[in-house]
Amino acid sequence: MKKMLLAAVALGVLATPAFANLQLAQKYACVACHSVDKKIVGPAYKDVAKKYAGDKSAEAKLVAKVKAGGSGVWGPIPMPAHPQVSDADLKTLVKWVLSQK
């Protein structure tokens, strides 16, 4: 019983960052326009990760783009600026998006 409890706690700890980052995306309503695996209004997070794979400057570019907003990269619909999101939360969200497979 003790081993099962420890295993459950370990799995919970390991799964928390992915879940927490999805919660962060929900908190800031990112999921109104984006999904992990399919296009809604904006691109799927997996498509963003694929597009920027191997780009060492991707994190900084995407943090700036989310903060300031932008258009033209994924089509004509602009992404509004999100100045209310803290830089720390933006970095966490962008890292999570770039980690999607």
Side-chain angles (χ1 to χ4, degrees), residues 27-47:
K27 173 183 175 183
Y28 291 113
C30 304
V31 294
C33 296
H34 299 277
S35 168
V36 171
D37 58 355
K38 64 182 179 230
K39 177 181 174 28
I40 300 177
V41 174
Y45 294 140
K46 287 182 179 185
D47 293 338

Side-chain angles (χ1 to χ4, degrees), residues 16-26 92-93 95-97 99:
T16 298
F19 182 67
N21 295 329
L22 179 57
Q23 282 186 320
L24 206 51
Q26 291 168 335
T92 300
L93 282 165
K95 283 182 182 185
W96 176 69
V97 167
S99 74

